[in-house]
Amino acid sequence: MSETTLRGLEARAPRRVEFGRDALVVCDNLVRIYQTGTGPGAVEVQALQGLDLLVDAGEMVAVVGASGSGKSTLLAVLSGIDAPTAGRVRVGPWDLAAMTAAERVAYRRSMVGFVWQQTARNLVPYLTAAQNVTLPLNLAGHPRRRRRTRATELLDLVGVGHCAARRPREMSGGEQQRVAIAVALANAPRLLLADEPTGELDTATSQEVFDALRTVNRTLATTVVVVTHDAAVSGQVERTVAIRDGRTSSEVLRRTEHDGEGGSAVVAEEYAVMDRAGRVQVPREYREALELTRRVRLALESEQVTIRPDRDRSGERS
Ligand code: ADP
């Protein structure tokens, strides 16, 4: 075949665009299976069952879901602590499924910051807030003056500049978590991951921590993924992704609508998530309301796809 013909064919062939090519975080059909026990009593737990998730650079996304739905497993994979059993996971240029141990260390030092639920786990107890923030900078070999300025800037940004000289036990839980955010940001990561950062805090204090995460997201343009079991956080972020049984099942998008007369209202809309094979989870309330069971009728209409119960068949059976 001549080269011109070949080129002509190439131009006509549909181009395979990589799933989430422009996203900062790409989880593509992510699977994580845990084995517990050995021998005949061994049990496999599928913590992630083909999860798809895209997060754009600069977004702040909340991941919600019941206990055991796979949220922590997802964060462990994204933070480079754990590796997926199957599927593709990329953060920026890093392919997390194929990293060597040395690359894993480099990834964790340069690309991601992490805030844990347990306030005590985030900070070194015998160091002051400022020293906790400069610690990762010491490791990275930054000059002393630069380290001090950076610590002050970050503590001020998250509203705990007044805690710079205090040790963790001299701070409230909310202050400790905000210092933890400053520590996680010390190395200027592009992605900040937080696993239930307000799990041990009351509502008012949780609000301060969420405000700090939002400030970081808006001011530094750091991408933030925050995991919580509290569905009420949907009111705090523009995008909430719900995980059910190790898969993304629905998303709530929040936006502000202006009425043209100076008034505005926040509108939150829930969307079902369709995976790459075209599967959509129909919420249980919908299934029960119309007795949708194993087989349903799908119809393509000009503007929508409808799902109807298979009534003819159920009539036949009775
Ligand atoms: P969540 O954070 O939403 O509570 P997890 O990601 O912690 O959920 O857990 C998802 C599922 O995987 C659960 O059924 C849990 O019991 C299981 N699981 C998590 N970690 C392990 C592990 N290290 N070994 C075995 N099973 C695990």
Side-chain angles (χ1 to χ4, degrees):
M1 205 181 292
S2 80
E3 204 168 299
T4 355
T5 327
L6 249 179
R7 240 184 267 136
L9 280 177
E10 268 170 20
R12 257 184 292 141
R15 256 204 214 128
R16 277 181 64 100
V17 178
E18 185 210 344
F19 174 62
R21 192 185 52 179
D22 301 324
L24 179 71
V25 178
V26 180
C27 298
D28 179 359
N29 212 353
L30 210 56
V31 174
R32 177 64 171 103
I33 300 171
Y34 291 110
Q35 304 255 4
T36 50
T38 47
V43 182
E44 277 194 350
V45 181
Q46 280 220 17
L48 299 177
Q49 311 195 26
L51 178 135
D52 292 334
L53 175 69
L54 299 180
V55 181
D56 285 335
E59 262 196 296
M60 174 160 171
V61 178
V63 176
V64 299
S67 175
S69 56
K71 305 183 298 295
S72 298
T73 305
L74 171 64
L75 275 210
V77 170
L78 289 180
S79 63
I81 297 174
D82 196 6
T85 312
R88 199 165 64 88
V89 54
R90 175 176 70 70
V91 177
W94 301 83
D95 175 356
L96 304 199
M99 281 194 299
T100 62
E103 284 167 345
R104 218 162 268 283
V105 172
Y107 170 75
R108 290 174 56 82
R109 283 209 183 136
S110 63
M111 189 74 192
V112 279
F114 209 97
V115 180
W116 303 92
Q117 172 178 1
Q118 299 85 356
T119 43
R121 191 169 169 187
N122 290 312
L123 304 173
V124 181
Y126 53 82
L127 296 182
T128 65
Q131 287 167 336
N132 266 284
V133 182
T134 48
L135 195 61
L137 299 170
N138 300 348
L139 295 175
H142 292 272
R144 182 190 281 203
R145 248 185 67 198
R146 173 84 199 98
R147 292 193 308 244
R148 272 209 220 121
T149 335
R150 177 123 183 100
T152 311
E153 280 167 8
L154 289 174
L155 291 172
D156 282 343
L157 178 73
V158 292
V160 283
H162 60 284
C163 296
R166 295 193 207 165
R167 295 196 163 69
R169 64 169 185 280
E170 296 157 347
M171 295 182 249
S172 72
E175 286 168 342
Q176 287 182 42
Q177 284 307 64
R178 284 185 283 159
V179 173
I181 295 172
V183 173
L185 291 171
N187 282 332
R190 289 180 66 195
L191 177 63
L192 178 65
L193 302 169
D195 194 358
E196 303 266 8
T198 61
E200 292 182 347
L201 307 175
D202 60 46
T203 317
T205 317
S206 298
Q207 184 69 47
E208 289 169 9
V209 173
F210 260 98
D211 286 345
L213 288 172
R214 256 203 310 261
T215 304
V216 164
N217 172 248
R218 289 195 187 144
T219 318
L220 305 178
T222 312
T223 309
V224 178
V225 175
V226 51
V227 155
T228 171
H229 65 273
D230 179 6
V233 301
S234 300
Q236 311 261 349
V237 291
E238 264 142 37
R239 184 172 162 221
T240 305
V241 175
I243 298 194
R244 198 174 299 146
D245 300 329
R247 279 197 193 154
T248 35
S249 60
S250 64
E251 285 196 16
V252 174
L253 299 187
R254 211 176 55 108
R255 66 198 148 78
T256 309
E257 269 189 0
H258 301 280
D259 59 11
E261 290 167 16
S264 63
V266 174
V267 184
E269 272 186 292
E270 181 162 10
Y271 294 81
V273 171
M274 183 161 71
D275 77 9
R276 296 178 61 206
R279 283 179 291 243
V280 175
Q281 186 164 32
V282 179
R284 188 191 308 160
E285 313 88 82
Y286 292 18
R287 281 180 275 150
E288 287 176 355
L290 293 184
E291 289 176 45
L292 300 174
T293 48
R294 199 175 66 81
R295 201 159 36 200
V296 294
R297 286 186 181 276
L298 278 184
L300 176 64
E301 296 173 4
S302 59
E303 296 272 317
Q304 59 194 10
V305 173
T306 56
I307 303 181
R308 283 182 295 125
D310 188 15
R311 293 243 191 262
D312 306 346
R313 295 273 171 183
S314 47
E316 256 171 44
R317 272 202 306 272
S318 60

